[in-house]
Amino acid sequence: MSVDVVITGGGPNGLMLACELSLAGVRPVLLERLPEPGEEPRANGLVGQVVQVLDSRGLYRRFTGASHPPVPAPFFMFGGMHLDLSTLDPGPLHILPLPQRRLEQLLQERALELGVEIRRGHELVDLAQDGDGVTVAVHAPGGDYELRTRYLVGCDGAHSVVRKRAGIGFPGVTAEDIVSRSAHAVLPTSVLDPATGELLLAGARWRPFMMHRTAHGVFALASFEPGVHLVTTMEWGRREQIDERVPMTLEELRDSVHRVLGADLPMTPPAGRGPHVLRRLTSGNTRLADRYRAGRVLVAGDAAHVHSAVGGPGLNLGLQDAVNLGWKLAAEVHGWAPPGLLDTYHDERHPVGRRVVMHIRAQTALLAPGEEVTALRELFAELLEHQENRRHIAELMAGSDIRYDMGSARPVPHPLLGRSVPDLSLVTDAGTVRLADLTHGARPLLLDLGGGDELDETVTGWKDRVDVVTATSSRRVPAGLLIRPDGYVAWTAPDEETGDPVSFGLREALATWFGVPA
């Protein structure tokens, strides 16, 4: 059997990629080794630019039921330090509380609507590629079989079979000096402030959804359902005292909380079947694939990068891998991709993965014990008093500081070039519309904000793959924007002061990203 694209891994990243390919007219086959969706609690929400990406596909309102676009978060944290974002306009960081199990369910529903074939209980066990495609060996309940595909994408997690079989290196480090414990628990109402949700213990108020550093470790508290809290601790240098053959208990977590906070926190197991977290981690990997593409095999999400969950960057990074890759892979399948387009997936996303690894390591360092770290945090707190520094950190965590190399015919490119396009309010012949509402189909878009016929005439040869929308905007932006399907600006019209025609450089940009004209 032969298909255009096979995706392994039915988690959020694999499902998102399947949706993106389907929107672009490619019907992938998705292989997931688990016969049913896993129930193990994992991520508790989305942090960063990925929230706006979901909005651009019409999924934010569908997932939340909200009638409004995403609202920036008024605060967050970096290395356990409070990050006041309330004075930043526009707010650079968005948060969507959504358990990963629910996210997977919603993305699967969308994928099935779009015609994706999902084969549960089908596990890729080997692969062999040549110049024309990839042959994958699949173990399945009804019998093993082979599947021939033009491209294979591994979204199969940190222990990716695809990455290993394709010979893609996974360099990094393993930290063995930190012990993390987490569990869902019921806490006495006597130690909780009903108005703020703060924990009142050891003569202090411990704010929820924050990481609190003490002289003996880190403590965090969060509640995602009434009456149940997720309690987490981190301790340094205690691994040798743990028998890893013995499962963690709530009593073990209670002892850890006592060491970190210096006070006892009564905890009882939650009622109901759960699933509930009861987890101990005695080591953590930080690794980044040395390449995201090996011939006709590509990797995305945890198959390409693993790291600590500090700051919640995982889904933000992985889902945007999928959105970056989807349209480029579809262009290859449809035959109009310009030379080198698929290589830009690694060129653009690998540095982003490296940057995420950098800021997670920095946050972990700021959480560690020791007087030197305390001094560093004092200095860092002074730096965060300055608004531009807070914006810099927030944009780093959101991923909105990314600027891809689009090439430019002008010595000084417009600030929007290579960046994610802001959500503009546009006035069209059909009325007022948000730009995000024009990108649900994941197609390239030429936004003509100046009127006239020049841009429309220039794009004529690409209208089979590029949509054109004529509108006006009250916001000061160039008279024309060429927007890739992943939301990044590939071309901007020149300023009037340059004297260049409004279409200057547009034809070159269209050819660079969307191939030769029909």
Side-chain angles (χ1 to χ4, degrees):
M1 185 180 296
S2 181
V3 296
D4 288 323
V5 179
V6 168
I7 302 169
T8 62
N13 302 315
L15 289 166
M16 189 71 183
L17 177 59
C19 291
E20 290 293 297
L21 287 168
S22 294
L23 287 171
V26 175
R27 293 292 178 264
V29 171
L30 191 152
L31 307 176
E32 168 53 53
R33 65 180 182 84
L34 296 177
E36 298 293 337
E39 291 194 348
E40 179 186 358
R42 303 187 69 181
N44 293 305
L46 304 170
V47 178
Q49 191 167 288
V50 66
V51 179
Q52 293 151 290
V53 170
L54 292 179
D55 184 40
S56 73
R57 295 296 183 260
L59 297 177
Y60 176 80
R61 296 185 186 184
R62 175 172 175 167
F63 288 5
T64 64
S67 59
H68 54 76
V71 178
F75 72 92
F76 202 59
M77 59 181 172
F78 184 86
M81 307 186 72
H82 183 71
L83 200 60
D84 183 7
L85 309 176
S86 61
T87 61
L88 302 184
D89 186 23
L93 190 69
H94 294 77
I95 300 173
L96 174 56
L98 187 67
Q100 183 166 325
R101 286 182 297 130
R102 179 59 175 159
L103 174 64
E104 290 181 8
Q105 177 187 354
L106 293 168
L107 285 175
Q108 178 173 293
E109 290 174 0
R110 179 58 174 156
L112 293 173
E113 286 178 8
L114 293 170
V116 175
E117 181 181 351
I118 300 176
R119 301 182 184 179
R120 286 202 166 271
H122 291 233
E123 180 181 8
L124 182 147
V125 294
D126 205 355
L127 65 91
Q129 67 167 313
D130 52 46
D132 298 320
V134 186
T135 302
V136 300
V138 183
H139 176 68
D144 297 351
Y145 63 93
E146 287 189 344
L147 189 61
R148 181 72 174 170
T149 180
R150 294 176 65 183
Y151 292 95
L152 170 66
V153 185
C155 297
D156 49 342
H159 303 288
S160 170
V161 174
V162 171
R163 185 190 65 240
K164 294 173 183 177
R165 294 291 190 271
I168 297 174
F170 206 38
V173 297
T174 300
E176 298 183 345
D177 61 334
I178 304 175
V179 179
S180 300
R181 297 176 175 88
S182 295
H184 282 119
V186 177
L187 308 181
T189 56
S190 59
V191 297
L192 296 170
D193 185 331
T196 64
E198 294 171 314
L199 174 67
L200 311 175
L201 195 69
R205 303 177 72 92
W206 307 96
R207 187 174 183 176
F209 299 99
M210 293 290 292
M211 302 186 76
H212 301 277
R213 175 182 178 268
T214 74
H216 305 287
V218 172
F219 171 80
L221 183 77
S223 180
F224 300 96
E225 59 178 296
V228 178
H229 285 79
L230 180 64
V231 179
T232 299
T233 63
M234 295 171 61
E235 295 181 88
W236 275 253
R238 299 188 62 89
R239 184 181 181 187
E240 67 281 356
Q241 303 174 26
I242 297 170
D243 185 349
E244 297 188 38
R245 297 170 298 180
V246 178
M248 196 190 86
T249 63
L250 210 56
E251 188 63 29
E252 179 182 329
L253 176 61
R254 184 171 175 173
D255 291 341
S256 178
V257 171
H258 193 281
R259 289 191 296 269
V260 172
L261 297 185
D264 184 54
L265 176 60
M267 290 182 276
T268 56
R273 62 180 296 270
H276 297 126
V277 171
L278 188 62
R279 181 172 57 224
R280 177 208 305 130
L281 299 176
T282 56
S283 63
N285 284 315
T286 302
R287 301 188 180 278
L288 182 65
D290 57 15
R291 50 186 172 145
Y292 284 14
R293 180 189 181 191
R296 290 178 175 267
V297 179
L298 303 102
V299 291
D302 289 354
H305 36 71
V306 295
H307 40 71
S308 165
V310 172
L315 289 172
N316 187 32
L317 183 58
L319 290 173
Q320 290 194 77
D321 286 348
V323 174
N324 184 285
L325 175 59
W327 69 275
K328 297 173 181 177
L329 196 52
E332 292 285 347
V333 170
H334 291 313
W336 58 256
L341 178 67
L342 199 52
D343 289 329
T344 66
Y345 169 59
H346 169 89
D347 296 341
E348 293 180 347
R349 297 305 298 171
H350 190 269
V352 179
R354 189 167 57 242
R355 192 159 175 77
V356 168
V357 166
M358 175 273 289
H359 80 67
I360 290 175
R361 285 175 167 168
Q363 292 188 72
T364 304
L366 284 168
L367 290 168
E371 294 183 2
E372 294 85 355
V373 176
T374 300
L376 179 61
R377 289 173 66 90
E378 291 176 1
L379 174 60
F380 210 89
E382 291 182 11
L383 296 175
L384 291 180
E385 292 176 2
H386 299 279
Q387 182 163 287
E388 284 309 304
N389 291 337
R390 294 198 302 275
R391 175 174 292 280
H392 181 90
I393 293 294
E395 290 181 349
L396 169 66
M397 298 186 74
S400 55
D401 62 337
I402 299 167
R403 186 170 193 177
Y404 296 144
D405 181 11
M406 298 293 178
S408 176
R410 297 194 292 276
V412 182
H414 191 277
L416 279 179
L417 186 67
R419 297 193 182 277
S420 180
V421 67
D423 187 23
L424 304 172
S425 178
L426 305 171
V427 179
T428 69
D429 290 342
T432 301
V433 65
R434 293 173 55 223
L435 176 57
D437 293 331
L438 301 177
T439 58
H440 293 182
R443 282 176 56 83
L445 175 65
L446 177 63
L447 194 58
D448 184 351
L449 300 173
D453 299 325
E454 189 174 339
L455 296 186
D456 190 67
E457 292 172 355
T458 303
V459 79
T460 296
W462 287 271
K463 283 190 176 180
D464 60 321
R465 69 206 80 148
V466 178
D467 293 337
V468 181
V469 173
T470 301
T472 59
S473 173
S474 59
R475 183 165 174 172
R476 183 175 175 80
V477 291
L481 296 172
L482 180 62
I483 304 166
R484 304 190 323 188
D486 57 353
Y488 282 80
V489 178
W491 170 85
T492 64
D495 296 331
E496 293 181 1
E497 291 78 7
T498 65
D500 293 320
V502 69
S503 63
F504 179 77
L506 175 57
R507 178 173 289 273
E508 291 75 14
L510 288 163
T512 296
W513 296 107
F514 309 121
V516 298

